[in-house]
Amino acid sequence: SFPEPQRLLDRLAKYCPRLQHLSISFRHHTSAARQTLEIRALALLGRRLLTLDLGAVAVRIEGGSRILAACCPQLERLCAQLRQQHDQPFDSVDPNDIARGCPRLQDLDLAPVDWNDTVLAQFAAESPRLQSLSLRHVTPDASEALLSPLLAPREHRILVLHLALHARSDPERALAWLDGVSQLVGLRSLCLDYAAPLRLQAIVS
């Protein structure tokens, strides 16, 4: 039978010491089943990883984003949905842990993250090489100036953006964010999550 995900990572760490790009999807046998990745495997496997994609199914990493960044310091691209244990406060998910621990980071799609002005400003300041970012959950208190840190002069321009627009709940703020998007002169790919009619003129004007 195919080994459990933890055993698979152990074997990859042992037999593929030069592995740099890893994409793996987890599928639980039951809705109650959850996968936990141990620090040991990440510490061995993550040292040389440039890409880590854990798929769309939530997994738990012991120690959360802080341990993930410590184990994978060379990461340039990270896509992960981490599961937080309410009784395990050290499993917290903070994008700034990734920014500080992975200075070469270019692409981040991390969940669950509550993006607001403070979190995004700090993350952008600590991720000078960032080119692709997913803002899947923006908090209600995020201001119209949310995207300002991405508009400031940077070492690299933002090329790809995924933004939860909240066009129905706060249309004026959504239009302000679209104005910010229009100023991302290097943008090549845009994905908008919105729940209201949106005129193309709001994007191109």
Side-chain angles (χ1 to χ4, degrees), residues 104-176:
R104 301 173 58 177
L105 187 69
Q106 300 176 20
D107 181 347
L108 181 71
D109 185 352
L110 181 66
V113 175
D114 294 329
W115 293 97
N116 58 26
D117 295 50
T118 301
V119 174
L120 182 56
Q122 184 178 352
F123 177 75
E126 296 183 345
S127 306
R129 298 189 178 188
L130 188 70
Q131 299 181 45
S132 176
L133 179 61
S134 291
L135 306 176
R136 295 185 180 276
H137 183 261
V138 181
T139 62
D141 64 336
S143 75
E144 295 183 356
L146 173 71
L147 300 180
S148 296
L150 303 181
L151 305 178
R154 301 173 48 81
E155 180 179 342
H156 295 277
R157 293 177 175 177
I158 298 297
L159 304 179
V160 179
L161 179 65
H162 185 140
L163 175 64
L165 199 59
H166 300 303
R168 184 181 298 279
S169 58
D170 197 335
E172 292 186 5
R173 187 180 64 172
L175 288 174

Side-chain angles (χ1 to χ4, degrees), residues 33-46:
R34 294 293 183 269
Q35 184 61 46
T36 297
L37 300 184
E38 298 176 0
I39 298 174
R40 169 175 50 86
L42 280 177
L44 294 174
L45 184 63

Side-chain angles (χ1 to χ4, degrees), residues 175-191:
L175 288 174
W177 289 350
L178 286 175
D179 182 64
V181 168
S182 69
Q183 299 177 52
L184 294 171
V185 295
L187 196 64
R188 295 293 179 268
S189 177
L190 174 64
C191 180

Side-chain angles (χ1 to χ4, degrees), residues 189-202:
S189 177
L190 174 64
C191 180
L192 296 174
D193 294 335
Y194 64 94
L198 186 65
R199 296 181 180 275
L200 181 62
Q201 181 180 3

Side-chain angles (χ1 to χ4, degrees), residues 12-45:
L12 288 174
K14 180 178 181 180
Y15 297 111
C16 305
R18 296 185 179 182
L19 189 66
Q20 292 185 319
H21 305 278
L22 175 62
S23 178
I24 182 171
S25 296
F26 298 92
R27 181 176 296 174
H28 306 307
H29 295 295
T30 66
S31 59
R34 294 293 183 269
Q35 184 61 46
T36 297
L37 300 184
E38 298 176 0
I39 298 174
R40 169 175 50 86
L42 280 177
L44 294 174
L45 184 63

